[in-house]
Amino acid sequence: MTHIELTLENYKDVMHNNEMVIIQFWLQSSDECAQLSTVIENVIKDHNDIVVAKVDTEVQEELARIFTVKEIPAMAMTKEGIMVYKEEVLLAEEDLT
């Protein structure tokens, strides 16, 4: 598994060069965002082919708008550059398996 910071500048390259991407929209001050990070890590720890891309919504407001993120924590999954899943709540591991 690879971790990157997703920005408006690298968005197209990340989507084009990776088959499966989990995008986590987060705020540094949010405990729920930290909890979601842990859930994501536990679920995909054995999947080296998945990229985890984090979006700091305070810095990357435009990217959050593109994905119509209204609540934090939020996550989206893309496959071959197409969004296949999006959720704007704190998920449990069971929700992602």
Side-chain angles (χ1 to χ4, degrees), residues 51-64:
V51 172
V52 177
K54 292 193 171 196
V55 177
D56 182 339
T57 56
E58 290 180 320
V59 176
Q60 296 295 325
E61 292 177 18
E62 183 63 24
L63 199 50

Side-chain angles (χ1 to χ4, degrees), residues 7-61:
T7 66
L8 205 50
E9 292 75 27
N10 69 1
Y11 170 75
K12 286 184 182 178
D13 287 337
V14 171
M15 293 300 118
H16 183 267
N17 294 320
N18 299 284
E19 182 178 355
M20 181 69 82
V21 180
I22 294 177
I23 305 169
Q24 181 185 359
F25 298 90
W26 65 282
L27 290 170
Q28 226 172 17
S29 60
S30 171
D31 290 337
E32 286 186 339
C33 289
Q35 291 172 344
L36 182 58
S37 288
T38 302
V39 168
I40 291 169
E41 294 294 320
N42 289 339
V43 169
I44 67 166
K45 63 185 170 195
D46 297 325
H47 298 277
N48 293 328
D49 56 332
I50 297 176
V51 172
V52 177
K54 292 193 171 196
V55 177
D56 182 339
T57 56
E58 290 180 320
V59 176
Q60 296 295 325
E61 292 177 18

